[in-house]
């Protein structure tokens, strides 16, 4: 998580990571367990297949991440996406 926050901070001003959590910042990097009960205008889900495959909650964690979206969803992945997300590519997303 810290690696992702550092990479984001190198490219975008005003980033908050789990070490310096500030929900008022322009970009906030959080783990799935930190977002329960929150909603964000834009959500970036990094590595959805790894999230879906990870024990103990796996698919439940991916669903939690995907339900935090107010307006925009961005998915970053280097391999296959979970089957549940494959339909998104049909819409250019």
């Amino acid at each position: 998580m810290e690696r992702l926050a550092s990479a984001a901070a190198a490219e975008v001003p005003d980033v908050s990571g789990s070490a310096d959590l500030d929900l008022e910042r322009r970009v906030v990097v959080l783990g799935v367990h930190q977002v329960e009960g929150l909603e964000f205008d834009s959500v970036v889900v990094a590595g959805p297949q790894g999230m879906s495959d990870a024990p103990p909650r796996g698919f439940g964690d991916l669903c939690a991440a995907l339900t935090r979206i107010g307006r925009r969803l961005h998915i970053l992945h280097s391999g296959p996406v979970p089957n549940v997300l494959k339909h998104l590519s049909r819409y250019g997303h």
Side-chain angles (χ1 to χ4, degrees):
M1 194 62 55
E2 287 304 317
R3 211 168 103 198
L4 183 57
S6 294
E11 299 295 325
V12 180
D14 203 25
V15 173
S16 172
S18 58
D20 66 335
L21 187 57
D22 179 357
L23 295 177
E24 298 299 319
R25 298 264 186 98
R26 183 173 176 207
V27 175
V28 181
V29 179
L30 300 168
V32 70
H33 301 284
Q34 295 172 292
V35 299
E36 290 186 28
L38 301 174
E39 183 177 287
F40 301 93
D41 285 340
S42 295
V43 171
V44 177
V45 175
Q49 186 66 53
M51 185 184 301
S52 180
D53 292 344
R57 290 182 43 186
F59 186 72
D61 284 347
L62 178 59
C63 290
L66 295 173
T67 58
R68 305 298 102 200
I69 304 158
R71 296 173 58 195
R72 290 178 293 275
L73 170 64
H74 305 276
I75 299 172
L76 301 177
H77 63 96
S78 60
V81 295
N83 287 333
V84 70
L85 300 177
K86 288 186 178 181
H87 73 282
L88 295 176
S89 65
R90 286 186 280 174
Y91 303 103
H93 301 310

